Amino acid sequence: MNLPNTITLIRIVLIIPILWCLYQPIEIYQWWAFSLFLIAALTDWLDGYLARKLDQITDLGKFLDPLTDKILVIAPLLVLIERQIIPAWGVFLILVREITIAGWRVNPQQKTVSGANLWGKFKTVTQIGAIALLLLPKYPWALSTGIIIFWLSVILTIISGLIYLIPPSSKT
């Protein structure tokens, strides 16, 4: 297990205290959830950077990193549905795309596991931005901005999914 993959696994483990904090009634715990979420999200960049810098890119990392992104995004989105901040059907669209592309990436007919493309990365950044804003306690501007960014992330989720599924046309 190399350093980038270890960081990725730590990001998965951070979901537990994030969720625990989100269910606590005292505002300080909401701030803890927000902070831990940002740490987990920012270390997504760190593990990728280290994998490239240390030449430690592995198929395990190509599989674990997007899976970790999905767990990190879906867990708080489910809490936001429960709090009636975002609609379930928007999250459903995200879930369908994520499950479909996860299966597509590990297609046994492929020789290697494919990593995320630029659209997928942009989609993830907008999802994380929306969630971070929606986790902030007691800031109306954050709520309205977070909702707008959430819907932008849903649109990017659909676009990035279609890019994976629709093969590029070949020019002859």
Side-chain angles (χ1 to χ4, degrees):
M1 180 72 60
N2 63 28
L3 179 60
N5 290 344
T6 301
I7 293 170
T8 299
L9 289 175
I10 290 169
R11 291 174 52 223
I12 293 172
V13 171
L14 278 175
I15 294 300
I16 297 166
I18 291 169
L19 290 176
W20 184 83
C21 288
L22 286 173
Y23 281 100
Q24 302 311 305
I26 302 169
E27 185 177 325
I28 190 68
Y29 288 106
Q30 306 311 302
W31 282 106
W32 274 105
F34 169 79
S35 301
L36 290 171
F37 178 80
L38 283 184
I39 290 167
L42 291 174
T43 55
D44 179 29
W45 171 84
L46 179 63
D47 62 22
Y49 172 79
L50 289 174
R52 290 183 298 277
K53 180 86 171 162
L54 302 173
D55 195 27
Q56 294 182 346
I57 297 172
T58 64
D59 280 346
L60 176 63
K62 288 182 194 176
F63 172 77
L64 272 183
D65 186 61
L67 178 64
T68 302
D69 291 343
K70 288 162 189 36
I71 294 169
L72 183 63
V73 165
I74 296 302
L77 285 178
L78 293 174
V79 174
L80 293 169
I81 290 171
E82 185 177 12
R83 291 180 177 176
Q84 299 181 347
I85 293 173
I86 55 174
W89 69 269
V91 176
F92 175 76
L93 292 174
I94 292 171
L95 272 170
V96 167
R97 184 267 187 208
E98 300 302 349
I99 292 168
T100 302
I101 300 309
W104 184 267
R105 279 199 187 120
V106 295
N107 181 345
Q109 295 169 346
Q110 292 184 33
K111 300 285 186 236
T112 61
V113 178
S114 64
N117 66 24
L118 186 60
W119 282 95
K121 291 177 187 291
F122 190 48
K123 174 251 338 161
T124 300
V125 168
T126 57
Q127 288 173 343
I128 287 170
I131 292 165
L133 287 170
L134 294 171
L135 292 181
L136 280 173
K138 297 185 181 177
Y139 288 104
W141 63 266
L143 179 61
S144 56
T145 306
I147 294 293
I148 292 167
I149 296 173
F150 168 75
W151 287 114
L152 174 62
S153 78
V154 171
I155 293 166
L156 289 172
T157 296
I158 293 167
I159 291 170
S160 67
L162 291 173
I163 288 170
Y164 268 102
L165 298 176
I166 299 173
S169 60
S170 59
K171 295 182 180 181
T172 53

